[in-house]
Amino acid sequence: MSKEKDIKRIKELRSLLHHHDYLYYVEDKPTISDADYDDRFRELKSLESKYPDLVTPDSPTQRVGGEPLKEFKPYQHKKPLLSLDNAMNLEELDDFDRRVREALGEEKIEYAAELKMDGLAVALVYKKGHFAVGSTRGDGVRGEDITQNLKTVKAIPLVLNEEIDLEVRGETYLPYDDFLKLNEERQEKGEALFANPRNAAAGSVRQLDPRITAGRPLDIFLYYGEVPEMATHLETLKYLKKLGFKTNPNTRQCLGLSEVKEYIKEWEKKREKLPYEIDGIVIKVNKLNDQKKLGFTARAPRWAIAFKYPPMQAETVIENIEVQVGRTGAITPVAHLKPVHLAGVVVKRATLHNEDEIRRKEIKIGDHVKVQRAGEVIPEVVEVVKSKRSGYEKEFHMPTACPVCGGKIYRPEGEAIARCTNFACPAQVKERIRHFTTREAMDIEHAGPALIDQLVEKKLIADAADLYTLTKEDILKLERMGEKSAQNVIDSIQGSLSRPFDRLIYSLGIRLVGRRTAQLLADHYFDLDELANATAEELGKIHEIGPKVAEGIVVFFKEKENRHLIEKLVKAGVKVKGGGKRQTGPLKGKKFVFTGGMEHYTRPEAEELVRQLGGSASSAVSKETDYVVAGTDPGSKYDKAKKFGVTILTEGEFVALTHRYDKS
Ligand code: IVH
């Protein structure tokens, strides 16, 4: 293709991808499949790699996060980013309304009422419609330049629909579910937990390594922008939306304070159901002329106020503390509470996370505590009400033996999580199988948790692979099982034999391997065998996979129980190969192993080349290996290859072989 044509296509792809980013992340209404999006993204990436000097900072490919910074550059705000005055109750809100009415000499004020996002304030500067600088609030006058990180926030447009100069302000936040997931991962790794989504968002936005930020699904709502010719705040928001920004759809015009109060009352209930946290309502005088008349104090605008909701907390008593055993053996202490009403539900249990958290909060059995809840999750204990102690409270001690199987509990040096070390612990077995059957994993709809419990207890299964050996007669032995339901169970198990490769990887329950990582691995490796033989070094080279995750994968495949499980899965007929692009190419199905040094390639480069041509590369020689490429000073793999009768290539032969196809 001519360069001219390529350039035209690059432009086309960029605006196409911008548009689909907008539909997906701002409108939440995607119109193409993820696979189609990925195809176009890859096409753009490959064109850009052909013309590196044509890569622009606002290309959709630049959202992945570049090199880590040593420190953030300070950023001087053109106009200070002010804070808001707070109203802690309705009387203080009345005072605000009175002040505004008096200053404007009007009876009834037109307000805009908005949700007060609990995240981190940022300012975004656009030059001729292109995203130029993103910064934190800092002390209001000077913030930090976090442009690199904000580029990874997909709801922030890199290019606007008009070529204007503009500064907008808004709140970045981490949706509640993503916050929980992040904390789960941190708990697994034994890292300190984020106390709330706000801290998690702040920690993510202020990351020196933008690749870490890119892995955190931050979102944003814009709530302020200075644009000429607008008469009201609500009009401004509409205009921002037209430009391509995400604004909160729940903003409402309120005539007079009584309508504001209705809005406040309404959202106090509805806020629990939001997928993100809000800590109040922001009330703004809608007419910009009126805003101008009211002006600012040194700290905050006089035309706006934040009404703060009381936190969703309640006081109760810890009746007992018990521990739960998770899929990886993680032991989590859980407080059993005297039932208490909290934000619309009755709460009976609260997580205490781990032993260190219990010590830090000085929690004892019998304590009066404040519990807090947000979203749908299990609540947590915020603090002990020490003034209510009687002296009869009991210290909690982590058990030394697993309460389920009696196995030894071990807490490695420097880690926060204690684990049951018995791989065969029924609690772990059940949780592992449960994970395997979930919708996101192998999606075995009719094998629900209760059924799995029975199957494990009756010793009909001991791991996920055993599911595939079950017969209808086995199922019929269980409680409340009829012919039809039993058949459904069998059918749904058999129906899962050919799930996509990434689902299979995810379903294995490898520590720290979530769905995203599973997809990356499925893209990279040809089959389970190749993945199982990958070294930590090799894994760490995959973009977005860090050393801890890589280590977790290697450790998983080293365990003899896991190897055994995989053998059984293969035997049962589970599809253990990738289904995508990697299965075509001239070296399709050919397995390579490299040993010794090479002149023309580093080992990862050579392996990548093999993969690009459809083959696979692994680090261990087996009977299935097709070629061993022996460079200078080959190791024991060379001898093994000879023993198995595997074809041995010199580097020159390898170059000649791949070169034949490389040009095609
Ligand atoms: S308006 C001059 N609107 O709350 C305009 N702020 O407590 C000042 N916030 O620093 C901000 N949601 O980070 C505004 N809908 C909203 C908001 C909001 C959250 C944050 C913002 C501000 C803080 C003040």
Side-chain angles (χ1 to χ4, degrees):
M1 233 200 260
S2 72
K3 182 163 181 183
E4 233 164 75
K5 262 196 183 154
D6 281 347
I7 293 175
K8 195 166 152 242
R9 182 66 182 151
I10 287 178
K11 283 195 178 142
E12 224 170 72
L13 284 166
R14 278 185 193 154
S15 81
L16 198 83
L17 291 168
H18 279 312
H19 179 62
H20 287 296
D21 274 346
Y22 173 79
L23 290 176
Y24 190 100
Y25 293 103
V26 179
E27 291 283 351
D28 202 11
K29 282 185 202 128
T31 58
I32 59 169
S33 71
D34 289 0
D36 282 346
Y37 181 95
D38 290 346
D39 281 348
R40 293 189 168 96
F41 192 88
R42 264 196 290 269
E43 189 187 346
L44 176 60
K45 260 203 115 155
S46 98
L47 280 172
E48 284 183 346
S49 67
K50 217 163 139 189
Y51 309 103
D53 46 324
L54 291 184
V55 180
T56 55
D58 58 16
S59 170
T61 57
Q62 302 306 297
R63 284 197 189 273
V64 289
E67 289 302 306
L69 303 174
K70 289 219 173 55
E71 56 182 4
F72 294 114
K73 277 192 303 194
Y75 180 79
Q76 187 88 19
H77 296 296
K78 301 281 169 299
K79 271 190 180 174
L81 260 70
L82 295 178
S83 185
L84 291 171
D85 282 333
N86 289 329
M88 303 308 285
N89 50 48
L90 292 176
E91 288 76 58
E92 290 180 17
L93 198 61
D94 287 332
D95 291 342
F96 165 76
D97 181 54
R98 189 175 325 110
R99 286 197 301 273
V100 172
R101 281 187 289 117
E102 278 172 12
L104 296 176
E106 278 175 36
E107 270 300 292
K108 213 177 196 177
I109 306 296
E110 184 182 313
Y111 290 110
E114 303 178 342
L115 305 183
K116 186 172 186 302
M117 307 299 306
D118 201 8
L120 195 79
V122 294
L124 313 174
V125 176
Y126 286 78
K127 294 261 161 69
K128 291 210 167 70
H130 291 261
F131 180 44
V133 189
S135 57
T136 60
R137 176 167 177 267
D139 62 6
V141 180
R142 247 159 67 119
E144 288 169 322
D145 182 333
I146 51 161
T147 312
Q148 280 237 62
N149 289 347
L150 289 180
K151 265 194 196 170
T152 70
V153 180
K154 306 281 201 328
I156 294 181
L158 299 178
V159 183
L160 301 178
N161 294 327
E162 285 179 35
E163 294 189 350
I164 52 166
D165 288 353
L166 172 78
E167 174 167 342
V168 290
R169 294 175 180 182
E171 196 89 348
T172 45
Y173 65 93
L174 200 63
Y176 204 75
D177 275 355
D178 295 303
F179 156 72
L180 294 177
K181 242 182 264 158
L182 180 62
N183 258 359
E184 250 170 51
E185 284 171 20
R186 292 175 75 86
Q187 174 150 22
E188 277 282 331
K189 287 189 226 173
E191 292 174 356
L193 301 182
F194 287 118
N196 51 47
R198 197 198 117 76
N199 288 1
S204 306
V205 169
R206 295 193 63 261
Q207 262 293 336
L208 287 169
D209 186 348
R211 286 169 299 198
I212 297 182
T213 314
R216 309 249 172 104
L218 290 161
D219 209 332
I220 190 166
F221 283 121
L222 282 307
Y223 53 64
Y224 183 82
E226 263 180 40
V227 271
E229 291 169 40
M230 294 290 150
T232 66
H233 174 64
L234 290 170
E235 258 177 51
T236 307
L237 292 182
K238 233 188 230 162
Y239 179 61
L240 293 185
K241 184 153 193 290
K242 217 176 102 211
L243 287 175
F245 290 110
K246 188 164 175 174
T247 54
N248 194 297
N250 303 309
T251 299
R252 187 185 300 166
Q253 185 188 45
C254 296
L255 296 174
L257 196 66
S258 55
E259 285 190 18
V260 170
K261 286 183 179 169
E262 271 168 42
Y263 183 85
I264 289 176
K265 224 166 122 190
E266 195 179 312
W267 280 101
E268 177 150 24
K269 282 216 190 76
K270 288 208 290 201
R271 75 164 160 150
E272 288 169 44
K273 304 221 163 62
L274 284 167
Y276 44 80
E277 267 202 324
I278 62 169
D279 61 342
I281 298 294
V282 181
I283 299 114
K284 297 174 180 171
V285 171
N286 191 29
K287 291 189 183 131
L288 299 183
N289 261 339
D290 288 348
Q291 287 192 2
K292 224 181 259 164
K293 278 186 215 156
L294 288 157
F296 300 86
T297 67
R299 204 188 89 89
R302 287 200 188 87
W303 46 262
I305 196 155
F307 178 85
K308 290 286 206 108
Y309 284 129
M312 295 191 277
Q313 283 188 354
E315 199 181 302
T316 184
V317 176
I318 296 187
E319 293 179 328
N320 198 6
I321 297 177
E322 283 179 7
V323 298
Q324 261 176 6
V325 188
R327 172 163 57 86
T328 58
I331 305 280
T332 310
V334 175
H336 291 242
L337 307 168
K338 190 169 157 214
V340 60
H341 281 274
L342 171 56
V345 298
V346 178
V347 172
K348 293 181 198 144
R349 283 145 46 100
T351 176
L352 300 172
H353 300 295
N354 57 52
E355 201 177 1
D356 291 350
E357 287 275 306
I358 296 179
R359 299 283 164 263
R360 193 172 63 75
K361 290 178 180 162
E362 297 178 41
I363 293 168
K364 292 183 181 178
I365 299 166
D367 263 336
H368 285 257
V369 288
K370 283 193 182 145
V371 288
Q372 182 164 293
R373 180 178 162 267
E376 296 302 313
V377 284
I378 174 163
E380 67 172 356
V381 170
V382 191
E383 60 179 358
V384 173
V385 187
K386 293 226 178 97
S387 59
K388 292 201 176 161
R389 278 208 170 141
S390 64
Y392 290 104
E393 291 77 15
K394 275 197 312 210
E395 195 84 41
F396 167 77
H397 295 284
M398 272 303 241
T400 48
C402 171
V404 178
C405 71
K408 200 169 169 279
I409 290 182
Y410 174 64
R411 179 177 166 189
E413 228 3 88
E415 281 193 22
I417 305 295
R419 287 173 206 277
C420 162
T421 50
N422 174 15
F423 191 83
C425 168
Q428 289 188 50
V429 170
K430 284 177 190 170
E431 288 302 320
R432 280 198 300 266
I433 301 174
R434 220 171 266 176
H435 173 77
F436 186 86
T437 61
T438 50
R439 206 152 53 104
E440 296 79 16
M442 298 297 265
D443 192 14
I444 307 182
E445 192 192 339
H446 291 276
L451 186 93
I452 293 169
D453 283 355
Q454 284 196 63
L455 289 168
V456 173
E457 278 155 25
K458 294 215 153 66
K459 300 210 164 31
L460 287 164
I461 58 174
D463 62 29
D466 288 341
L467 286 169
Y468 296 101
T469 63
L470 288 170
T471 62
K472 196 161 132 192
E473 288 63 45
D474 290 332
I475 307 289
L476 279 168
K477 283 183 207 145
L478 305 179
E479 286 159 31
R480 286 191 300 270
M481 257 303 157
E483 278 281 329
K484 188 148 185 294
S485 339
Q487 191 58 49
N488 282 340
V489 173
I490 296 294
D491 289 348
S492 79
I493 292 173
Q494 294 302 317
S496 74
L497 280 168
S498 53
R499 296 276 180 254
F501 188 35
D502 61 310
R503 299 266 216 109
L504 176 69
I505 297 174
Y506 173 69
S507 73
L508 295 175
I510 306 169
R511 260 171 83 183
L512 308 180
V513 175
R515 286 164 64 190
R516 167 92 190 127
T517 308
Q519 272 166 8
L520 293 172
L521 294 171
D523 271 353
H524 211 83
Y525 291 98
F526 182 70
D527 59 18
L528 213 46
D529 187 40
E530 193 183 288
L531 172 63
N533 285 316
T535 62
E537 196 194 352
E538 210 179 292
L539 287 158
K541 290 213 173 88
I542 302 174
H543 186 64
E544 284 183 52
I545 292 188
K548 277 209 169 139
V549 177
E551 192 56 40
I553 296 168
V554 172
V555 168
F556 179 88
F557 287 109
K558 257 200 202 131
E559 301 277 354
K560 108 175 160 291
E561 289 90 349
N562 293 330
R563 290 225 167 233
H564 185 56
L565 170 74
I566 289 161
E567 270 168 33
K568 281 170 76 178
L569 286 171
V570 172
K571 232 181 177 168
V574 173
K575 195 183 115 197
V576 292
K577 278 188 179 19
K581 46 200 177 302
R582 291 272 323 291
Q583 277 197 319
T584 54
L587 293 183
K588 178 180 166 188
K590 296 286 181 236
K591 295 191 169 183
F592 282 73
V593 173
F594 292 87
T595 174
M598 280 177 285
E599 198 186 323
H600 292 88
Y601 301 101
T602 63
R603 171 115 20 120
E605 277 167 6
E607 291 180 350
E608 191 55 38
L609 178 59
V610 166
R611 287 191 194 111
Q612 272 172 16
L613 294 172
S616 64
S618 90
S619 54
V621 180
S622 73
K623 283 189 198 118
E624 273 78 51
T625 310
D626 293 291
Y627 297 104
V628 167
V629 180
T632 49
D633 298 327
S636 62
K637 291 178 199 168
Y638 182 87
D639 305 326
K640 238 190 179 165
K642 271 197 155 162
K643 198 173 110 199
F644 290 142
V646 176
T647 310
I648 298 174
L649 302 177
T650 63
E651 182 182 355
E653 283 165 338
F654 173 70
V655 171
L657 177 72
T658 50
H659 209 63
R660 269 215 315 269
Y661 307 116
D662 212 14
K663 295 284 157 199
S664 60

